[in-house]
Amino acid sequence: MHLPASPGWLLVALCAATGAYCMLRMRSHVEEQRRAAGGEALMGFGMAAMAVPAAVFTPPSWTWPVYAAVFGAAALRALWAARASAHHLHHLVGTAAMVYMAVAMAASPSHGASGVPFVTGMLLLYFTGYVLLTGVRLVPVTAGGPGAVRLGDRPELARACRLAMGIAMVAMLLTM
């Protein structure tokens, strides 16, 4: 993405921190949480890599088709996983958005991404709604009983992680 340096680095830091926390969540004792965290870690690190300011590093032209292939494979996995849980439909939209941005960057890398305005608008509408809904749902969850909850198993942190990636996606789509 072609962001100015300061916002670009902030977006890189936000996405990388989110990806790192999702890697921590992959150590959870809850099976479903481990599965979801892997896809979210891929999204976080992928978004961090895409947000590096172009003034610092302009990726070679072969990078964008690789991004599209990796996130295309992740989209197929999310589509398969959506059979069991509707939560994976959000992962499907997120990975499809990453494919869309990678294809747009491959089409015009020197002038910045210039995707199809209708598709960009629909993705912006979806992710803005997602951010607002997730923000409302981000109310502290009280523990059901005594005992410490592991950092990787805290549901409010998982929601905050998803909220951060949603905000980052809105920022990236706005720069298209």
Side-chain angles (χ1 to χ4, degrees):
M1 310 284 26
H2 292 284
L3 294 166
S6 293
W9 285 119
L10 289 172
L11 196 56
V12 169
L14 175 69
C15 293
T18 301
Y21 176 71
C22 291
M23 292 288 288
L24 177 66
R25 284 182 41 228
M26 289 177 68
R27 298 178 54 208
S28 171
H29 294 300
V30 181
E31 177 70 25
E32 179 60 29
Q33 186 142 337
R34 278 195 311 266
R35 262 186 269 155
E40 291 169 358
L42 174 68
M43 287 293 291
F45 289 128
M47 290 170 70
M50 286 180 87
V52 171
V56 175
F57 175 70
T58 302
S61 61
W62 57 265
T63 305
W64 303 115
V66 170
Y67 276 130
V70 167
F71 286 105
L76 289 175
R77 184 180 180 280
L79 181 62
W80 183 258
R83 297 174 308 120
S85 171
H87 169 72
H88 293 284
L89 291 174
H90 172 69
H91 289 203
L92 178 62
V93 174
T95 54
M98 293 294 283
V99 170
Y100 170 70
M101 288 188 288
V103 168
M105 288 300 291
S108 62
S110 61
H111 303 292
S114 58
V116 179
F118 177 76
V119 176
T120 304
M122 293 307 293
L123 288 170
L124 271 170
L125 184 65
Y126 172 80
F127 282 105
T128 301
Y130 179 80
V131 163
L132 292 173
L133 184 62
T134 303
V136 168
R137 289 181 178 170
L138 193 59
V139 176
V141 178
T142 58
V149 178
R150 289 173 37 130
L151 185 62
D153 291 334
R154 296 191 55 187
E156 71 274 13
L157 290 178
R159 282 189 214 111
C161 174
R162 292 181 194 115
L163 177 64
M165 284 194 290
I167 292 169
M169 188 66 77
V170 169
M172 291 173 80
L173 287 166
L174 283 172
T175 63
M176 290 190 71

